[in-house]
Amino acid sequence: MSKYGFLIVLGLIGILAPPFIHADTLLYDDFSGNRVSSDKWHIPTWVSPADGTVVGLTQFRFTQNSSLPAANNGCAIIALESYNPTAISFYGTDLRSNQSFAVGSGIHITVRAKMDTATRGIVGGIFLYALKPGSTTNHDEIDFEFITNRPHGVQTNIYGNEKLGDGHVVFVPYASGSIMDYHTYEIKWLPEQVSWFIDGKLVRTDTNHVPAGPMNLHLNIWVPGSGWPAAYDPDLKPATSADSNRIFSMSVDSVHVQSMTPAQAGGLPLQIGGVRSGTDYER
């Protein structure tokens, strides 16, 4: 094909492949109060040590004895303490959206956040997650994970109806800054692919492990065990008394979840070969 023929094909693709547009805001929170709103968020309810409230070396706060996280200067403070009053473990936070999000034509998650600690051995997460009905291991998940052992980048991961485990990890270095700086993290989840963006720049796309079921949005902070050697630090240990408690945190400035739909032409979504097209997304 000649150069000019190639350019014509590219031009036609540009015409036939419309961007996705935002349809509705499903969740927006700028954390303007002094505490995270129960209208939008919850923390888990303890049922048993195996119900997801204990992960690694961390027990998450639960509804029976904790309130929702504090907000300060327009940021949700997702806190981790080294002293747990109920057990010898770290005492973390797993904040979960009340609403679950089904992919539909597409879901766009935007979160502005940073870690407030450089102490090794801590993980902060921004992720979509749901166990499959009737299963304790098979699940859907799309992640951004901040690993303080690797502060100059962020780990992305994905599971599509897969067992708990390593998943499909890609570590992405920052163009500038670290997990201690505010960055804007985006997940664009479409029926055929998932894309991750940092500060408006596409950093990863996956078409092989795309989740299909509805998921809740999680914001969490915790300490893993030695089973995750890249994130574990043996020098970080839980405190045995309140007097020796240390507090670590992740600050979340804003959360925005929007539905997406293909751009319209003549009242109908444009398609190529029967498959919805859209590698160029509105940002």
Side-chain angles (χ1 to χ4, degrees):
M1 180 184 292
S2 71
K3 177 177 72 173
Y4 299 106
F6 179 69
L7 290 175
I8 290 170
V9 169
L10 285 179
L12 288 173
I13 291 173
I15 293 170
L16 293 173
F20 278 68
I21 60 173
H22 294 133
D24 295 298
T25 290
L26 305 177
L27 171 64
Y28 178 75
D29 204 337
D30 61 1
F31 305 106
S32 57
N34 58 14
R35 190 161 296 279
V36 169
S37 171
S38 61
D39 292 339
K40 299 176 181 178
W41 304 94
H42 65 280
I43 56 176
T45 297
W46 187 86
V47 177
S48 75
D51 70 355
T53 57
V54 177
V55 179
L57 302 180
T58 307
Q59 178 180 290
F60 290 122
R61 291 169 173 81
F62 43 84
T63 56
Q64 287 95 329
N65 65 357
S66 294
S67 57
L68 287 169
N72 184 32
N73 293 323
C75 293
I77 308 303
I78 312 301
L80 168 75
E81 298 187 60
S82 63
Y83 176 67
N84 180 355
T86 65
I88 302 299
S89 72
F90 292 91
Y91 202 35
T93 302
D94 182 22
L95 187 64
R96 307 173 180 187
S97 64
N98 292 346
Q99 183 176 353
S100 64
F101 305 102
V103 62
S105 295
I107 295 290
H108 182 189
I109 311 284
T110 305
V111 179
R112 186 172 183 264
K114 71 180 181 74
M115 292 292 281
D116 301 319
T117 178
T119 300
R120 289 176 56 84
I122 297 174
V123 175
I126 298 168
F127 60 100
L128 293 161
Y129 178 92
L131 282 170
K132 288 297 185 181
S135 177
T136 58
T137 58
N138 275 41
H139 73 297
D140 291 329
E141 186 173 348
I142 306 171
D143 297 344
F144 278 110
E145 292 176 299
F146 312 129
I147 301 172
T148 55
N149 290 3
R150 302 185 70 182
H152 297 291
V154 62
Q155 178 169 296
T156 64
N157 205 350
I158 190 168
Y159 305 74
N161 191 16
E162 297 175 75
K163 293 186 181 298
L164 299 169
D166 292 341
H168 309 280
V169 170
V170 174
F171 188 82
V172 179
Y174 291 112
S176 62
S178 74
I179 59 174
M180 298 286 290
D181 302 300
Y182 272 115
H183 296 277
T184 299
Y185 302 91
E186 297 175 73
I187 294 169
K188 293 189 177 179
W189 172 30
L190 304 178
E192 299 89 7
Q193 70 177 47
V194 174
S195 298
W196 293 254
F197 298 77
I198 300 176
D199 297 328
K201 179 183 177 182
L202 177 66
V203 296
R204 177 184 181 184
T205 295
D206 188 291
T207 59
N208 297 317
H209 312 97
V210 179
M215 296 185 282
N216 292 77
L217 179 63
H218 291 240
L219 308 170
N220 76 8
I221 186 169
W222 58 292
V223 175
S226 58
W228 188 1
Y232 173 68
D233 192 300
D235 294 329
L236 183 61
K237 301 182 185 301
T240 56
S241 70
D243 291 341
S244 53
N245 185 41
R246 300 171 66 191
I247 300 175
F248 314 96
S249 65
M250 177 176 75
S251 291
V252 180
D253 179 60
S254 62
V255 171
H256 197 184
V257 182
Q258 298 164 283
S259 62
M260 301 173 67
T261 188
Q264 302 291 303
L268 294 171
L270 289 179
Q271 297 184 350
I272 297 176
V275 178
R276 185 184 298 111
S277 175
T279 55
D280 179 20
Y281 304 114
E282 180 190 71
R283 291 202 292 273

